[in-house]
Amino acid sequence: MKRRLLTIIMVVLALTLSVLGFVFGGFDLTNLQKETLNILVIVCGISMAYCFIVGELSGNNSQMDKLWSILPIAYAWIVAVKGSMHPRLIVMALLITIWGVRLTLNFAKKGAYSFKFWAGEEDYRWIVLRKDPKLNKKWKWALFDLVFISVFQNALVLAITLPLLAVMESAMAFNIFDGLIAALLLGFIILETIADRQQMSFQTKKYSLLKEGKSLKDLPAPYNLGFNTQGLWERSRHPNYFSEQAIWIVLYLFTISAGVASYIFFNWTLVGAMVLILLFMGSSLFSENISLSKYPMYKDYIHKVSKYVPLRRYNKIK
């Protein structure tokens, strides 16, 4: 009941902030911003078509997953170049590039990319979802692929990078607040890197032990749980998700330091980060339901460890 109430509160808050961003932030774009946005939308549209067509023809629906960390880099540098390489835009684009390169390499380690661009390891969640009775007919899955995977996720990736568009003609010089925001964003990138490495290390070791012919319950602790409870994962069920959401919220703060946010806080580009939060709420709920069905102790883990913000340590039932 407590988890459900918290979810409802988060949804209402995210939607409210999105609406306030448009109401108080306005939606007036200069000619340069409109010209730049048109370019971004064209790239986004091409990516939508690519993800849907290739995903359906190949049967691998991780095409958007492969582009998730690449497209923001392209969007960021398009805006930076169109914005005459303003120092603030360069810093924002560099941070997004660091984020994107790291995430791309991390995804590549999982076998997601292949010389056959349509092939590679597919995200396990799509495999599970295709078996869902609500989506297991070909036309239903194709519709889901079109609307959610190809169109919605591409639009969201564009939306989370739009704070660059908002600040591209700011008359305010790069200042100390920009520097603090950049340092904070880099900190969350580092935190996400640590979380991903800890998870990969745990899962690699667990599957290595399982390949030796041992059953899960016979593995040494903590691998016998089936899920990671070490490092950051001892205090947060999704430290990587927490960092990812924080990265794009912090990127939005550049609109405040650049003086383009109305009433100090609001700008219409806030909607990207807010919708991303909603997406991760759904994604984390889905992945946790899978874990609950596989690992008996995961329910105890949920009750003792916060979902995102690293807080209490996990103490396993003896």
Side-chain angles (χ1 to χ4, degrees):
M1 183 66 181
K2 184 179 178 181
R3 290 173 60 208
R4 187 176 299 174
L5 179 61
L6 183 60
T7 299
I8 293 172
I9 291 173
M10 289 295 295
V11 169
V12 171
L13 180 61
L15 292 175
T16 301
L17 289 174
S18 297
V19 171
L20 290 175
F22 276 96
V23 172
F24 292 117
F27 193 65
D28 295 325
L29 300 178
T30 66
N31 288 333
L32 179 60
Q33 286 174 319
K34 290 178 182 177
E35 179 185 326
T36 305
L37 182 58
N38 286 338
I39 296 173
L40 300 181
V41 169
I42 290 172
V43 174
C44 183
I46 292 172
S47 179
M48 288 177 180
Y50 165 84
C51 290
F52 178 68
I53 294 171
V54 174
E56 286 300 298
L57 290 177
S58 67
N60 184 331
N61 294 110
S62 274
Q63 306 307 319
M64 183 56 209
D65 299 321
K66 299 174 187 179
L67 295 175
W68 183 277
S69 56
I70 297 173
L71 285 171
I73 298 175
Y75 294 147
W77 286 107
I78 288 172
V79 177
V81 171
K82 295 292 288 185
S84 301
M85 300 297 280
H86 187 285
R88 181 179 293 107
L89 291 175
I90 292 175
V91 169
M92 295 171 77
L94 283 173
L95 287 167
I96 290 176
T97 301
I98 293 170
W99 164 86
V101 169
R102 187 208 69 82
L103 194 58
T104 301
L105 291 175
N106 190 60
F107 201 38
K109 290 178 182 177
K110 298 178 181 178
Y113 299 97
S114 169
F115 286 111
K116 296 179 179 179
F117 62 87
W118 60 89
E121 190 73 19
E122 186 179 32
D123 191 300
Y124 73 95
R125 287 169 294 188
W126 303 139
I127 298 172
V128 173
L129 271 176
R130 272 198 294 267
K131 298 175 183 177
D132 190 301
K134 298 176 183 177
L135 295 170
N136 61 2
K137 291 186 182 297
K138 191 172 182 178
W139 70 269
K140 290 182 179 180
W141 181 257
L143 184 62
F144 176 79
D145 182 16
L146 174 64
V147 175
F148 180 75
I149 301 177
S150 302
V151 174
F152 170 74
Q153 292 199 59
N154 264 290
L156 177 57
V157 166
L158 173 59
I160 59 178
T161 61
L162 289 180
L164 286 100
L165 187 74
V167 307
M168 70 181 296
E169 291 192 271
S170 170
M172 191 173 292
F174 189 88
N175 53 67
I176 188 171
F177 296 107
D178 289 303
L180 292 173
I181 292 167
L184 183 61
L185 201 157
L186 181 60
F188 280 118
I189 293 174
I190 293 172
L191 189 68
E192 186 176 35
T193 302
I194 294 171
D196 282 343
R197 284 186 176 180
Q198 288 176 345
Q199 180 73 323
M200 181 169 287
S201 176
F202 176 86
Q203 296 296 342
T204 300
K205 179 65 176 179
K206 183 185 77 174
Y207 284 109
S208 175
L209 291 170
L210 289 172
K211 285 181 180 178
E212 294 177 4
K214 299 178 181 178
S215 64
L216 186 64
K217 65 180 182 179
D218 293 326
L219 299 185
Y223 304 102
N224 57 339
L225 291 174
F227 54 92
N228 192 9
T229 59
Q230 296 178 303
L232 292 170
W233 301 83
E234 186 179 23
R235 295 179 180 271
S236 169
R237 306 199 306 267
H238 304 283
N240 52 345
Y241 285 5
F242 167 67
S243 302
E244 182 71 10
Q245 294 169 80
I247 285 168
W248 299 104
I249 292 172
V250 172
L251 185 78
Y252 170 80
L253 297 182
F254 279 107
T255 67
I256 299 174
S257 65
V260 298
S262 301
Y263 296 91
I264 302 177
F265 183 79
F266 295 106
N267 178 274
W268 64 274
T269 58
L270 177 63
V271 68
M274 294 300 102
V275 175
L276 183 72
I277 289 174
L278 297 178
L279 176 66
F280 272 97
M281 287 173 64
S283 179
S284 60
L285 179 63
F286 178 64
S287 62
E288 287 194 340
N289 285 335
I290 294 175
S291 295
L292 282 168
S293 67
K294 293 168 62 178
Y295 310 121
M297 288 293 292
Y298 199 79
K299 185 175 182 179
D300 176 63
Y301 181 61
I302 285 178
H303 289 310
K304 293 183 177 179
V305 178
S306 64
K307 190 169 189 175
Y308 294 128
V309 184
L311 295 171
R312 295 175 301 167
R313 292 183 64 182
Y314 176 57
N315 293 312
K316 188 179 71 170
I317 293 176
K318 302 297 182 181

